Amino acid sequence: MLDLQRLRALHAVSVHGTVGAAAAALGYTPSAVSQQIAKLERETRTVLLEREGRGVRLTAEALQLVDTAEQLLSIVERAETALEERRGVPAGRLTVAAFASAARGLMPAVLADLARRHPALDARLTEVDPHLSVGLVARGALDLAVAHDWDIAPLPVPPGVEQAVIGDDPCTLLVPEAHPFAGRASVRREELGGERWVCQPPGRVCHDWLVRTLRAAGHEPDIVHQADENPTLVALVAAGLGIGLIPRLGRGPLPGGVVEVPLDPAPVRRLYALWRTGAAGRPSITETVRVLREQWPKVTAAAL
């Protein structure tokens, strides 16, 4: 008989791409995941993973098992949801993903509140980019995700996934204190041509928004420095190496040498909570969404 936990491990490797990433998502060590899959290989007398460079590749037999695992895990999820709904209280494990600045600026307060109110709920956070987290929710690899989009880059939500608005996060222009924009009451988008920019790498929502916005205003952006973390981008601005459009959430206090200037019209990114339609009745989902919305005004007020 196939072991569900071993199938879950194989499914996680398929979803996350590597044994290490699968282990992080499941809360195991990489060696534990490897052992689970090795046992599954012995049980099925089938090679499931093959070495490919520094990573692994799923064999055709493994992909067939992954399809079966998705069906079984979906059945288990429905059973767990029904039990939680019957109890009427948030309980059990809840896997949550959030993008970097939300993981830093919003989720600590949310998770602490949930732990205090609901000791039977085991909420676990993973930092995941919005481009990836929506698909992971749809595939059942995550229970809930906190993601965001922009006015010109809407977040695609696949069928079977529901969403709720958490709130809006304003984005402001950060410039070195000696920059000509530093003393301005506001700056129009049409004035941003010819600037040197610090920004997140291509493929990130903030990067795509900046490129589209500047091109729509008739400017080709000159992105001279790229970094994943907003504090790094702020430090680059403080060193006089460029200007940046950076949201307030999770940004932290501005260091000396950096000036915040409103952009006209002001860019805003909207935060969402997303979960599978089949899990909509879980008290742990509804309570987490409620706490996210409750904490949002508090964390945004602290960021001003």
Side-chain angles (χ1 to χ4, degrees):
M1 182 178 295
L2 295 175
D3 183 275
L4 183 62
Q5 288 301 107
R6 293 164 193 167
L7 288 173
R8 190 188 299 273
L10 181 66
H11 178 261
V13 173
S14 172
V15 169
H16 297 283
T18 67
V19 171
L26 294 172
Y28 300 151
T29 63
S31 62
V33 171
S34 296
Q35 290 171 15
Q36 291 282 356
I37 294 176
K39 290 177 180 177
L40 186 59
E41 287 182 323
R42 290 195 295 271
E43 289 175 349
T44 59
R45 300 176 185 177
T46 305
V47 175
L48 301 175
L49 297 182
E50 294 178 341
R51 289 286 179 185
E52 188 173 65
R54 295 185 177 180
V56 294
R57 180 181 64 84
L58 274 71
T59 65
E61 292 81 5
L63 293 174
Q64 183 176 352
L65 274 179
V66 166
D67 290 339
T68 301
E70 287 187 354
Q71 298 176 45
L72 292 174
L73 292 173
S74 177
I75 294 171
V76 171
E77 180 185 52
R78 291 198 297 271
E80 291 174 341
T81 298
L83 286 173
E84 190 178 331
E85 289 176 355
R86 187 174 181 85
R87 296 188 191 104
V89 295
R93 180 176 294 188
L94 183 76
T95 56
V96 183
F99 58 95
S101 54
R104 179 172 58 251
L106 173 62
M107 293 310 300
V110 171
L111 295 172
D113 195 351
L114 289 171
R116 182 176 61 255
R117 298 188 190 192
H118 308 289
L121 177 63
D122 181 16
R124 302 192 176 196
L125 175 67
T126 303
E127 187 178 301
V128 180
D129 188 78
H131 283 309
L132 301 175
S133 62
V134 178
L136 293 176
V137 169
R139 294 186 63 180
L142 294 169
D143 295 318
L144 185 144
V146 176
H148 69 81
D149 67 6
W150 297 84
D151 51 357
I152 61 173
L155 184 70
V157 179
V161 175
E162 298 185 21
Q163 65 178 4
V165 175
I166 298 172
D168 291 338
D169 184 25
C171 183
T172 54
L173 186 67
L174 299 185
V175 302
E177 61 182 357
H179 193 280
F181 290 158
R184 298 273 298 273
S186 66
V187 175
R188 298 189 311 277
R189 296 182 183 184
E190 293 76 14
E191 300 178 80
L192 298 176
E195 295 294 336
R196 291 167 63 86
W197 290 90
V198 301
C199 186
Q200 292 181 335
R204 303 290 293 273
V205 177
C206 293
H207 179 282
D208 296 347
W209 182 90
L210 176 66
V211 171
R212 293 185 190 183
T213 298
L214 292 184
R215 286 176 178 170
H219 308 303
E220 186 63 29
D222 182 15
I223 299 174
V224 294
H225 301 294
Q226 301 178 36
D228 284 316
E229 293 293 332
N230 285 339
T232 304
L233 298 176
V234 173
L236 291 167
V237 174
L241 298 173
I243 67 174
L245 276 169
I246 301 178
R248 286 193 176 133
L249 177 65
R251 188 183 67 191
L254 293 178
V258 178
V259 176
E260 182 180 48
V261 184
L263 196 61
D264 182 23
V268 174
R269 65 177 180 179
R270 176 159 289 181
L271 272 68
Y272 300 88
L274 302 106
W275 62 92
R276 286 180 302 287
T277 301
R282 287 184 62 185
S284 56
I285 296 286
T286 57
E287 176 66 357
T288 301
V289 173
R290 187 194 68 78
V291 174
L292 282 165
R293 287 173 152 176
E294 182 182 81
Q295 289 293 334
W296 178 252
K298 301 176 184 178
V299 300
T300 51
L304 295 177

